[in-house]
Amino acid sequence: MWTSTADQLALLEAEWRTPTPRFRNLPLIARYHAAVAGEPAYHRLDDQTWADLNGDDLFARLDGTVSRVGQQCLYHRLRSPLADAPALQEFDQAARVLAGPAPRGQALLALRGLTSPESYYLPDLLAGNALPELSWTAAAPALVLLLLATVVGGFWQPALWLGSAALFLLHTVLHFVYRTRIVAGVRPMLQLGSLYNAGRKLARLEVPVAAVGGLGEPLSRLGSIVNKVAFLQFEGQLQSDIAALPWLMLQYVKIVLLLDFIVYHSCRREVELHAAAIRAVYEGVGYVDCALAVAGFRARQVHCAPAFTAETGLRLAGAYNPLVAGCVPNDLAVAAASVLLTGSNMSGKTTFMRTIGLNALLAQTIATCPATAYAGPFRRVVSSINLADNLPEGKSYYFAEAETILGFIRAAEAGAGGYLFILDELFKGTNTVERIAATQAVLAYLQPRSLVVASTHDGELGALLAPAFTEYHFSETVTDTDWYFDYLLKPGPLRTRNAIRLLARAGYPASIVQAAQALSHSLAECGGLNGHVELAETSRVPPLINKDYFGTRDVSASST
């Protein structure tokens, strides 16, 4: 059904303003990130941190892209923080320019031709050697010439036609044996024409976006490949139009002339020769689509541009988690000290920790912070929030966490640059005394080398870690009839204990509540765990950190 350009633009604008929920094939979207993840980079967000920060949900919230290429580039950008202020300022400027109605409309229309799911396979061409070399492809021209020679020679020596029949049979066998492999190999090339057209339309836009201005030269090189791929696209069009007779005739021609082999061999050489041009156009188109998506996100969310400083602290004002509906904004300002959070479950500790991580991540990827102010240095974001047992390898929760934290320690020791470590209730898989001792030793060790944001239910840690850590807390209000949380960050340690009262409000039997309250008062009167804490304070290195015994989660392997 034909749709006018104005109608198509209206639909694209509506989707840009309010993206509709849609299925996202994340394994395909991640193909570009996987293809380049091994290249040197300042930082790549590891799978654990991506999961801790609800990365897939964050991507879905930001994904107002038009093209499949834009989706892949946005996903990669979110997992590849930069330490390059000029590059981030350039991206910020591109998003501002494309927020304008005229350039935005032109860019949206230029990108609409790259919506086929087949475009997800374009990253397969970026390495330059993605198309495997197939045997017989180099010999195809000689076989074709030999077949034609025997056919022509048969008019003088009919016996040669026996050779023609044998060669035709060989061509047929080769055609059908290699057809599946050739089709799989040329699959991403079928989208080169769409990529080329999108790049040309964007290059004609008169907008001050560096990614657009640099497309001219790689587009001229990509054009030579597109002309050769036109034959493959023509066959696909015949098949999609169910033009049975022309398609069947084409198959016979392809068998006789081994066209699949010849075209594949030629395209493979072109991809190897012009891989850099393909990548430049791919990334240029994806850059524009990312900037469009970020401009749409900014139009929907309260945000600010980050200020990158040489100081070691962090300043946030009105910071919130964009993935939490109605999230209460909070402020945070720390200079040299790290942050220790206390508070009961559901009070907002983990949400606030994710808020800090997301602000740091988005500042260094899309120059857009969900806050009213953000100032801090570049940092590699690494977290330990939602760890789990590794049952296939026979590892308990505690052992898995010990390995993970050891990876953090080694990364900090390497001195490859500042880290932001987000640690939620360390070592909760072991007993109280050893948990406090190990947590105090690890946090005190990490703090001089990084910014640490840690949460705990162990109030004793505040005194043990002062003044290297500044204490903050979240609290709730419990009455005889109700309880509620204000989700506001408050300075200092938590002074109230409401866990047992919450059990009563949840409907626990009175005998359980009374027994728990009695034991709690008894422990408080006799000093509780103070003796054990004194022991922990004098023992700074916990027994669990045995660098020769534990493995490690490598958080710095992708960093330069």
Side-chain angles (χ1 to χ4, degrees):
M1 179 178 176
W2 181 81
T3 306
S4 69
T5 300
D7 289 341
Q8 292 182 40
L9 180 56
L11 292 172
L12 291 169
E13 283 277 1
E15 181 67 18
W16 177 82
R17 294 183 184 281
T18 309
T20 57
R22 52 176 165 164
F23 171 73
R24 292 176 174 84
N25 192 324
L26 288 173
L28 288 180
I29 291 172
R31 285 177 76 88
Y32 171 56
H33 177 71
V36 301
E39 297 178 355
Y42 168 70
H43 186 51
R44 305 283 192 211
L45 219 65
D46 63 85
D47 291 341
Q48 180 63 50
T49 303
W50 180 253
D52 285 344
L53 298 181
N54 304 122
D56 290 346
D57 294 332
L58 176 66
F59 169 75
R61 179 60 60 88
L62 279 160
D63 183 22
T65 57
V66 179
S67 68
R68 302 298 186 244
V69 171
Q71 277 189 314
Q72 292 179 320
C73 288
L74 178 61
Y75 182 90
H76 172 67
R77 177 172 283 273
L78 291 175
R79 295 198 64 165
S80 305
L82 302 175
D84 187 341
L88 290 165
Q89 290 168 359
E90 184 178 280
F91 183 82
D92 172 59
Q93 180 61 25
R96 292 176 187 272
V97 169
L98 292 170
R104 179 177 72 241
Q106 294 173 345
L108 290 171
L109 289 172
L111 293 165
R112 61 180 170 166
L114 271 173
T115 57
S116 169
E118 296 297 312
S119 300
Y120 284 133
Y121 296 93
L122 280 168
D124 295 355
L125 303 177
L126 303 184
N129 58 352
L131 301 181
E133 184 175 5
L134 301 180
S135 55
W136 295 94
T137 54
L143 290 173
V144 172
L145 289 175
L146 184 60
L147 173 58
L148 295 178
T150 58
V151 170
V152 174
F155 288 101
W156 287 273
Q157 295 290 336
L160 291 175
W161 284 339
L162 293 175
S164 301
L167 285 169
F168 181 79
L169 179 61
L170 175 62
H171 285 203
T172 303
V173 171
L174 291 175
H175 174 80
F176 286 105
V177 167
Y178 284 93
R179 177 174 175 78
T180 301
R181 296 173 65 183
I182 290 176
V183 168
V186 302
R187 186 177 191 179
M189 288 194 293
L190 295 177
Q191 295 300 312
L192 282 178
S194 298
L195 179 66
Y196 176 73
N197 290 333
R200 288 185 62 191
K201 292 176 182 177
L202 291 175
R204 288 197 290 265
L205 299 182
E206 296 181 359
V207 294
V209 176
V212 171
L215 286 176
E217 192 275 334
L219 278 171
S220 64
R221 296 173 61 192
L222 182 58
S224 63
I225 306 178
V226 171
N227 293 331
K228 294 184 178 182
V229 174
F231 168 76
L232 301 171
Q233 293 172 322
F234 170 72
E235 181 190 2
Q237 185 64 38
L238 282 179
Q239 196 168 8
S240 64
D241 290 342
I242 320 180
L245 182 59
W247 182 82
L248 185 60
M249 293 176 61
L250 179 61
Q251 298 310 301
Y252 281 115
V253 173
K254 289 171 62 178
I255 290 172
V256 172
L257 301 180
L258 289 177
L259 287 179
D260 280 345
F261 287 81
I262 294 173
V263 172
Y264 180 87
H265 185 64
S266 176
C267 288
R268 181 176 180 275
R269 287 186 301 176
E270 290 289 338
V271 167
E272 290 178 346
L273 185 63
H274 299 299
I278 296 173
R279 179 166 182 172
V281 176
Y282 175 94
E283 293 178 345
V285 169
Y287 186 97
V288 172
D289 209 353
C290 285
L292 276 171
V294 170
F297 176 78
R298 290 176 173 181
R300 300 187 299 272
Q301 302 280 163
V302 175
H303 68 279
C304 71
F308 297 108
T309 68
E311 301 172 357
T312 58
L314 177 66
R315 183 172 65 85
L316 286 167
Y320 67 97
N321 187 328
L323 303 179
V324 177
C327 185
V328 175
N330 275 293
D331 301 341
L332 177 69
V334 290
S338 288
V339 176
L340 184 67
L341 294 172
T342 55
S344 61
N345 292 323
M346 302 187 299
S347 62
K349 299 192 308 298
T350 305
T351 295
F352 183 67
M353 294 171 73
R354 288 193 174 104
T355 295
I356 296 174
L358 287 173
N359 270 273
L361 173 65
L362 295 179
Q364 297 174 209
T365 54
I366 62 171
T368 305
C369 298
T372 57
Y374 176 97
F378 293 106
R379 288 192 177 95
R380 296 172 173 87
V381 181
V382 182
S383 69
S384 173
I385 297 176
N386 289 327
L387 287 176
D389 294 350
N390 193 333
L391 296 179
E393 296 184 16
K395 296 178 181 178
S396 68
Y397 178 94
Y398 176 77
F399 194 90
E401 186 177 28
E403 288 186 318
T404 297
I405 301 306
L406 181 55
F408 295 173
I409 292 170
R410 288 178 172 170
E413 288 174 340
Y419 279 86
L420 169 59
F421 291 118
I422 301 175
L423 309 175
D424 187 26
E425 299 180 31
L426 288 184
F427 307 125
K428 51 182 173 283
T430 190
N431 65 79
T432 302
V433 172
E434 290 189 310
R435 179 178 65 248
I436 293 174
T439 301
Q440 185 276 335
V442 167
L443 295 183
Y445 191 86
L446 289 175
Q447 194 277 331
R449 298 165 174 82
S450 52
L451 174 63
V452 182
V453 179
S455 70
T456 183
H457 285 292
D458 297 315
E460 298 87 350
L461 280 171
L464 293 173
L465 290 167
F469 279 75
T470 301
E471 284 192 83
Y472 294 87
H473 72 274
F474 289 89
S475 59
E476 69 284 342
T477 299
V478 181
T479 68
D480 292 336
T481 58
D482 198 5
W483 79 82
Y484 65 90
F485 302 93
D486 58 21
Y487 305 112
L488 291 173
L489 183 68
K490 304 172 183 69
L494 181 66
R495 300 296 185 185
T496 60
R497 295 182 178 181
N498 290 319
I500 297 176
R501 295 179 66 188
L502 285 174
L503 294 181
R505 288 291 303 118
Y508 273 59
S511 59
I512 294 178
V513 174
Q514 292 168 2
Q517 287 177 333
L519 181 56
S520 175
H521 292 321
S522 175
L523 289 173
E525 289 173 359
C526 68
L529 300 170
N530 288 339
H532 298 300
V533 171
E534 291 174 1
L535 174 62
E537 190 172 11
T538 61
S539 179
R540 296 292 181 178
V541 181
L544 66 96
I545 305 177
N546 184 331
K547 299 180 184 178
D548 297 323
Y549 179 71
F550 284 114
T552 178
R553 169 184 163 208
D554 189 355
V555 298
S556 59
S558 60
S559 304
T560 55

